[in-house]
Amino acid sequence: ANPATPDTFVIGGAGATGPLMDVLVTTRDAAMEVNGWSVVGTLPHAALFPASVLVNDHAYVIGGVEGDPIVDPLSTRVSMATVSQGAITSFADATAMALPEGRAGALVASVGPWVYLVGGLTGSPHAACDSTTPSCSRASAGRRACRTTPAAT
């Protein structure tokens, strides 16, 4: 890729079957116009609502939810990969950088070598499921997300 025409990466997200592990990058035609997307990597885990940032030649994926956002815990994981000319190496967990508690939906910015993680949902917001009661988690601004678990047979 030409530095004057930067690429856009899409990391993780949600699909019809749940959180995704794909890493996509824009593709370009001979005139360097964006003409599509290509899968260029895979995360070591699914990531829904992670924070992601590029610092120098390293991409970081921070936190998120690795499964169902209603019942699964928030992730403390930080994964890192090297980025070079539109290509990205395999992501690997940077265990020394793990968050002290799970976090999802945070904003992230980098200034020089420093990464700032701002806001997001933290802690363990999910109530336990049982056979008759919807489990609810309190998200930001008083919103609730609920799902009823079917009774065991």
Side-chain angles (χ1 to χ4, degrees), residues 17-19 46 48-49 65-74 126 135 145 147:
T17 60
L48 180 61
F49 309 122
V65 181
E66 295 179 27
D68 186 320
I70 303 300
V71 297
D72 290 327
L74 304 177
H126 309 298
S135 66
R147 179 173 72 188

Side-chain angles (χ1 to χ4, degrees), residues 21 23 31-32 35 48 50 59 74 95 98 104 108 123 129 139 143-144:
M21 298 172 61
V23 179
M32 295 306 292
N35 66 356
L48 180 61
L74 304 177
T95 54
V108 66
C129 293
R143 295 183 187 145
R144 286 188 177 267

Side-chain angles (χ1 to χ4, degrees), residues 2-144:
N2 181 337
T5 54
D7 292 313
T8 300
F9 287 89
V10 175
I11 300 173
T17 60
L20 303 174
M21 298 172 61
D22 295 336
V23 179
L24 306 173
V25 67
T26 49
T27 58
R28 297 178 182 278
D29 60 21
M32 295 306 292
E33 297 294 323
V34 173
N35 66 356
W37 295 91
S38 176
V39 176
V40 293
T42 303
L43 295 171
H45 55 86
L48 180 61
F49 309 122
S52 58
V53 65
L54 183 65
V55 180
N56 298 320
D57 61 348
H58 290 95
Y60 296 89
V61 177
I62 304 166
V65 181
E66 295 179 27
D68 186 320
I70 303 300
V71 297
D72 290 327
L74 304 177
S75 177
T76 62
R77 292 172 93 154
V78 176
S79 298
M80 182 183 76
T82 301
V83 178
S84 176
Q85 298 181 354
I88 196 161
T89 63
S90 296
F91 276 88
D93 285 335
T95 54
M97 297 173 64
L99 299 173
E101 67 178 334
R103 184 177 300 256
L107 299 176
V108 66
S110 67
V111 179
W114 298 98
V115 174
Y116 297 89
L117 195 62
V118 181
L121 182 64
T122 62
S124 181
H126 309 298
C129 293
D130 68 25
S131 63
T132 61
T133 308
S135 66
C136 295
S137 65
R138 221 180 245 288
S140 61
R143 295 183 187 145
R144 286 188 177 267

